[in-house]
Amino acid sequence: MSHPDGGPAFSRPWSIAHDGTKRWWREAQDGMTLRQWYAGEAMKGLISALHTEAGAKALQNVATGGLISAAQALAILALSYADALIAEEKQ
């Protein structure tokens, strides 16, 4: 299933770089997507919440019966928060 990625975050257009003696063109870069950025930000909060009872229970609920690892469960949660934020922004 494809999710809207929200477009680029921290992109860089073509630019001129220099080191004091010479100049050169720097290629444009897309950077990460907003979805990746939001998921990373959500991941930080989720990891810090694991130290609470509610956070540990939430992780257990997602990682049902050991079918997926804790890291996979955190990634699923982080991406779901990112997707929700992008969907809300589009409204």
Side-chain angles (χ1 to χ4, degrees):
M1 176 179 197
S2 177
H3 295 277
D5 65 14
F10 310 113
S11 58
R12 184 184 75 199
W14 278 92
S15 59
I16 297 175
H18 57 86
D19 63 6
T21 58
K22 60 182 177 181
R23 294 177 183 226
W24 64 93
W25 281 100
R26 272 195 189 156
E27 191 172 326
Q29 294 179 349
D30 289 339
M32 67 176 72
T33 65
L34 283 175
R35 184 175 190 243
Q36 291 167 327
W37 171 253
Y38 291 155
E41 293 297 298
M43 182 75 76
K44 290 190 290 189
L46 290 166
I47 289 171
S48 66
L50 289 177
H51 301 289
T52 67
E53 185 177 337
K57 283 184 181 179
L59 180 61
Q60 285 176 341
N61 288 340
V62 175
T64 52
L67 297 176
I68 60 174
S69 71
Q72 288 171 310
L74 286 171
I76 290 167
L77 284 170
L79 286 169
S80 68
Y81 280 112
D83 291 340
L85 184 53
I86 289 170
E88 189 64 28
E89 287 177 335
K90 289 189 179 282
Q91 292 183 2

